[in-house]
Amino acid sequence: MFRIQEQSNYLAKIVKIDNLHPIPDADRIQTTLVDYNSVIIGKDTNIGDVVVYFPVECQINSDLLSYLDLYSDSTQNRNTTLKGFFGKQGRVKCVSMIKGTVKSEGFIIPYGQLQEFLETYTEPVIDTSFDYFNNIQICQKYVPTPARNSGSGVQVKSTNKLKNILVGNQFKFYGDTSHLKQNIHKFNLEDLVVITNKVHGSSFIASYCLVNRRLKWYEKLGLRLGLNIPTLEYGYVWSSGKPKSNLPKGVESESNVWISGNGSFYSEDIWRREFEKIKPVLKKGFTIYGEIIGQGVQGPYTYGVEGTKMLVYKITVTNIDGDTVALDWFNLKKFCKKHQLEHVEEWYVGKLNQNQIEFPEQIISGLTDLYLDRRTPCGNPDEGICIQRLEDKEWYKLKSFTFLKKESEMLDTITETNE
């Protein structure tokens, strides 16, 4: 049974081919569009074929790649006389061919090949997304092995473990920003939207929320005797946006101090540094989400920043019951102005159809033409845009192909460093 164990932007998807696009002077390849992503496929693929699509920068099951003889190192393949094009990491890369005129943003295999590998023959359910089949992981987000992990964080031990300090529904991670291409059906031309620059940095969260108090022995005794002893207090929690451990980087309250050893990709604790900067503006229940950019964060993507700085893109307020509301874009800007914080750069606010986009099917192409493939102040390809329907305050991202290709090249460098 196909299933989703971890919701992400890196799920495989069962699709039926409904479009084919020839490539001039190419006898063996053509392209197709899957969720507005152009993918290079063989000329033996036909309209109506059922295939499995893997998105860029997902990592495919190594046994599946070996079974299909797709590794470039033939010794890793089932048939050691055959060679494919996947490196040992099994990454789906963003590539271009024929002097950059043909691009590929994903990888496709026939659905029947996956069935053979799994030794199961079930009718395909079109548009099914998945990362697992039963207990077999088919794909996941590719995460490079950290090349720099000495860290400068110092772990301050507490008699409470971190998981016992946090209160459910108080501190909340942001998670992945969903791809616009996969969610374009949620947008109408009359929608009021805000479009911002998407920067290439490291996600950041800081919150002043309820945490569990570390009780003294006599307070624990008082609780057993039925006395009204406070068990909660407001404390500061800060973190990267999507840690593998699902635990924040640090907690600081009147009775608790817990700061993790860094053990991350970066050589210093950039999250704690940014937390200390904004700590004075955090009010009870407030959580600030942002992106850290600058020196040493994402290689050449410094954006001309000396040191580092944090750009805010979301602010929420959580009450004592765990109910959360997000500030709308206009109040977020007011909050930032009042407290001298920077927010992500605004590029457009208004209706989609007042943004040189006339038809629903033009939304992706229109936004691409208007905003993508720009350059950052440091001369690198701009990552792209984030767009939000002002009505529901949900962000979606649209990355440029030029950036995706650059990102793949940077990941190649990281991968080679760690091999």
Side-chain angles (χ1 to χ4, degrees), residues 57-198:
E57 298 307 341
C58 82
Q59 186 175 36
I60 300 177
N61 179 295
S62 59
D63 292 331
L64 174 59
L65 293 176
S66 177
Y67 180 83
L68 298 177
D69 301 318
L70 289 171
Y71 280 114
S72 58
D73 179 358
S74 61
T75 62
Q76 293 182 264
N77 292 330
R78 181 173 58 146
N79 185 340
T80 56
T81 66
L82 297 178
K83 278 183 137 183
F85 45 82
F86 275 88
K88 65 171 62 176
Q89 305 293 336
R91 278 174 55 213
V92 178
K93 299 182 182 181
C94 185
V95 298
S96 59
M97 300 177 66
I98 311 179
K99 298 182 178 179
T101 60
V102 180
K103 61 185 182 180
S104 190
E105 302 167 282
F107 177 66
I108 281 174
I109 63 171
Y111 178 70
Q113 289 185 350
L114 181 59
Q115 284 186 307
E116 291 173 10
F117 168 73
L118 296 171
E119 297 182 344
T120 182
Y121 299 92
T122 57
E123 286 297 316
V125 180
I126 305 303
D127 291 334
T128 297
S129 295
F130 62 93
D131 55 356
Y132 273 77
F133 179 82
N134 292 334
N135 293 320
I136 302 172
Q137 186 170 27
I138 304 300
C139 61
Q140 63 181 341
K141 178 181 179 178
Y142 171 71
V143 179
T145 304
R148 297 164 287 165
N149 59 4
S150 58
S152 60
V154 178
Q155 184 153 348
V156 181
K157 294 184 178 179
S158 168
T159 56
N160 279 5
K161 292 183 179 179
L162 179 59
K163 64 181 181 180
N164 296 326
I165 301 175
L166 299 179
V167 176
N169 295 323
Q170 285 290 313
F171 179 78
K172 300 173 183 179
F173 289 107
Y174 181 74
D176 279 329
T177 302
S178 298
H179 287 296
L180 176 64
K181 290 179 178 179
Q182 298 171 359
N183 293 275
I184 196 63
H185 59 279
K186 298 178 182 178
F187 285 78
N188 298 305
L189 293 180
E190 292 291 323
D191 287 338
L192 284 168
V193 301
V194 56
I195 297 172
T196 66
N197 183 23
K198 185 174 191 335

Side-chain angles (χ1 to χ4, degrees), residues 300-304 373-382 402 406:
Y301 279 82
T302 62
Y303 294 92
D373 290 323
R374 302 187 183 193
R375 290 276 164 174
T376 69
C378 47
N380 293 293
D382 212 1
T402 308
K406 176 78 171 179

Side-chain angles (χ1 to χ4, degrees), residues 13-17 34-35 49-53 108 126-127:
K13 186 177 183 180
I14 300 171
V15 299
K16 181 179 285 189
I17 299 295
V34 179
D35 291 336
D49 286 356
V50 178
V51 299
V52 179
Y53 166 75
I108 281 174
I126 305 303
D127 291 334

